[in-house]
Amino acid sequence: MNVEEGQTVEEWAPVTTVRSDKATVEITSRYTGVVKKVHYAVGDEAKTGSALIDIEVADGVADDVPAVSNNDDAPSAPSPPPPAPAAASAPAPAPVAAAPVASTPAPVPQAPAGRKKSLASPAVRRIAMQHKVNINDVHGTGRDGMVLKGDILAFIEGGKVVAAPAPVSSSALVGSGASIAQDRTIDIKGFAKVMVKTMTAATAVPHFGYCDEIDMTALVALRGSLKDQAEAAGVKLSYMPFMLKAASIALTKYPVLNSSVSADATQLTYKGAHNIGIAMDTKDGLVVPNVKNVQNLSIVEIAAELNRLQKDGAAGRLSSSDLSGGTFTLSNIGSIGGTYASPVLVLPEVCIGAVSKIQRVPRFGENDEVIATSIMRVSWSADHRVIDGATMARFSNVWKDALENPGSMLLHLR
Ligand code: COA
């Protein structure tokens, strides 16, 4: 890398040199600005099309310089180094591939005064040559007026070229900078290995699925009003603690959903404690630690314990006690996205619920008026050997009612 973070770069200044399996090419900056991030170190293998550096331009908009692309319409790695536009008569510079990832596009740099020649990648120039097309006659529709392969083909189809096209070699179409990712085989170990075992065993159990939608409007408002207070007390208050408390309230009413089935499926044990597991996405994979004795905890106590489990999960230091003894599980896949799921049981538990992202959607009120409503979907899976559909639905209704009328949970405060 010729640049480092914090350094100012000029438009067209050399940023780095990239070597493909066929050639070495200098990459220049598309913009004048400050380098905010360098994505690769010297010797790293850059992924085709990925950003090499992020540049903050004068108006504060971040953009990037992507690595070489194997797209026909973009310049490929082995292109000759683009000349800097210092002199007005310099040949047209070939900027690096334009595939910004920033949400707001940075302003497109203006072509240097006096530029006569069209911008095009070597692959596109080759196609033009093979079809005997003067690339400077073709209107470029790419970024900065770059001539793309499609522009050449449209030019030809428009009848501007009478000569029979020369055969185009497949290598020219693929682009000489194309690289093929290698297959990679890794061992399945750690949490992933445990997941293979537990999930495979769980598929032997017949799952009953039941879905519903929950009106979270009141809870969204309630959490909003309590969040800062909880934060001041050092607790991050998400929706999960309310969902766990509501589950505990429903489990008290339908204890069979807090039971476990013996390995030979001859006995059912009703568990005294509501140890509610939370499917947690960590850097090591999926883990399911549980909050112990939710029936005895206030919502803020559940939140504090959830915060700890999340912190320990992220640091990879959950204890075996955290990970064992669960009696019921909730998975908040909605913190990532989605609507419905088909959760798989954590044996020997008999019920698991997966909740979606809370979304603001229209619903009808009592007088058919349209009301903006915060809706969350829940997808339950239950062990159909011991749980029937009606019990599952009744349990879900109690859970739903607690969440839709969060004030009612006050009655269960300890
Ligand atoms: N809908 C809308 N917003 C949600 C949400 C949902 N379903 N779930 C979380 N959020 C919000 C939270 O309220 C929080 O907002 P805030 O910053 O305003 O407080 C933010 O998203 C981040 O929440 P998060 O840190 O994820 O906390 P959480 O208590 O909601 O969830 C975990 C904790 C551990 C469940 C979650 O981090 C996680 O790992 N989810 C993935 C679970 C998974 O992989 N399931 C699949 C198993 S197969």
Side-chain angles (χ1 to χ4, degrees):
M1 279 286 170
N2 299 341
V3 294
E4 52 191 38
E5 284 167 17
Q7 186 182 327
T8 301
V9 280
E10 296 296 323
E11 187 183 347
W12 308 116
V15 166
T16 191
T17 304
V18 175
R19 202 172 66 211
S20 77
D21 52 356
K22 291 197 186 143
T24 300
V25 65
E26 188 175 73
I27 304 287
T28 55
S29 174
R30 292 187 66 87
Y31 308 107
T32 296
V34 177
V35 177
K36 293 317 269 185
K37 188 163 177 63
V38 175
H39 289 276
Y40 293 98
V42 173
D44 281 355
E45 193 174 321
K47 209 165 158 245
T48 299
S50 64
L52 293 174
I53 58 172
D54 294 344
I55 302 169
E56 189 175 79
V57 294
D59 63 357
V61 178
D63 208 343
D64 59 9
V65 173
V68 289
S69 163
N70 61 2
N71 185 324
D72 254 355
D73 292 339
S76 51
S79 59
S89 59
V96 291
V101 294
S103 51
T104 317
V108 176
Q110 293 306 305
R115 177 190 286 167
K116 293 279 194 310
K117 293 189 177 176
S118 297
L119 290 171
S121 72
V124 171
R125 284 182 190 282
R126 237 188 330 269
I127 295 167
M129 246 166 55
Q130 284 161 346
H131 287 81
K132 302 199 171 24
V133 169
N134 181 345
I135 205 151
N136 298 322
D137 293 338
V138 181
H139 172 68
T141 59
R143 193 162 180 166
D144 298 352
M146 180 175 272
V147 177
L148 310 178
K149 187 180 121 193
D151 299 332
I152 303 275
L153 298 179
F155 186 87
I156 294 165
E157 274 165 25
K160 301 267 172 79
V161 171
V162 283
V168 180
S169 77
S170 59
S171 64
L173 286 173
V174 167
S176 44
S179 64
I180 297 167
Q182 297 297 306
D183 293 349
R184 214 161 56 91
T185 303
I186 55 158
D187 290 335
I188 299 174
K189 49 191 181 185
F191 288 133
K193 194 171 175 182
V194 175
M195 193 159 82
V196 169
K197 214 171 136 201
T198 53
M199 293 296 104
T200 306
T203 53
V205 171
H207 282 53
F208 171 80
Y210 178 83
C211 302
D212 202 358
E213 62 174 47
I214 319 295
D215 181 348
M216 298 283 277
T217 311
L219 186 53
V220 168
L222 180 67
R223 186 194 81 117
S225 68
L226 296 175
K227 203 176 150 224
D228 289 348
Q229 245 174 291
E231 210 143 300
V235 179
K236 187 171 149 296
L237 186 64
S238 66
Y239 297 102
M240 281 303 272
F242 297 95
M243 293 187 221
L244 263 68
K245 193 69 201 172
S248 176
I249 291 166
L251 288 174
T252 305
K253 202 148 187 203
Y254 294 95
V256 70
L257 285 156
N258 197 49
S259 67
S260 68
V261 181
S262 63
D264 60 0
T266 58
Q267 286 186 312
L268 193 63
T269 304
Y270 284 73
K271 298 285 191 175
H274 296 168
N275 296 343
I276 302 187
I278 301 110
M280 202 173 268
D281 182 38
T282 72
K283 63 179 170 32
D284 298 320
L286 171 72
V287 287
V288 191
N290 59 80
V291 177
K292 305 260 189 296
N293 293 307
V294 174
Q295 77 281 3
N296 293 337
L297 301 180
S298 68
I299 286 168
V300 77
E301 285 169 335
I302 298 170
E305 179 62 353
L306 186 60
N307 289 175
R308 179 191 72 78
L309 292 174
Q310 233 176 325
K311 215 165 117 209
D312 287 357
R317 53 161 193 258
L318 287 167
S319 67
S320 59
S321 156
D322 292 331
L323 294 165
S324 58
T327 59
F328 178 94
T329 298
L330 280 177
S331 170
N332 180 9
I333 193 69
S335 62
I336 303 173
T339 47
Y340 293 100
S342 298
V344 178
L345 289 168
V346 181
L347 296 184
E349 296 170 21
V350 298
C351 187
I352 180 170
V355 297
S356 77
K357 191 176 179 59
I358 300 167
Q359 288 173 319
R360 230 161 136 66
V361 290
R363 287 292 179 266
F364 289 110
E366 275 177 19
N367 302 313
D368 277 357
E369 72 280 23
V370 176
I371 304 171
T373 311
S374 294
I375 291 291
M376 180 181 80
R377 279 88 180 188
V378 61
S379 305
W380 299 107
S381 287
D383 183 338
H384 212 353
R385 297 171 305 175
V386 292
I387 307 294
D388 57 61
T391 307
M392 183 72 254
R394 288 190 187 108
F395 166 89
S396 182
N397 285 344
V398 176
W399 184 76
K400 175 183 161 98
D401 187 60
L403 292 175
E404 292 189 342
N405 304 288
S408 70
M409 284 195 260
L410 285 174
L411 300 176
H412 302 269
L413 275 185
R414 303 257 166 191

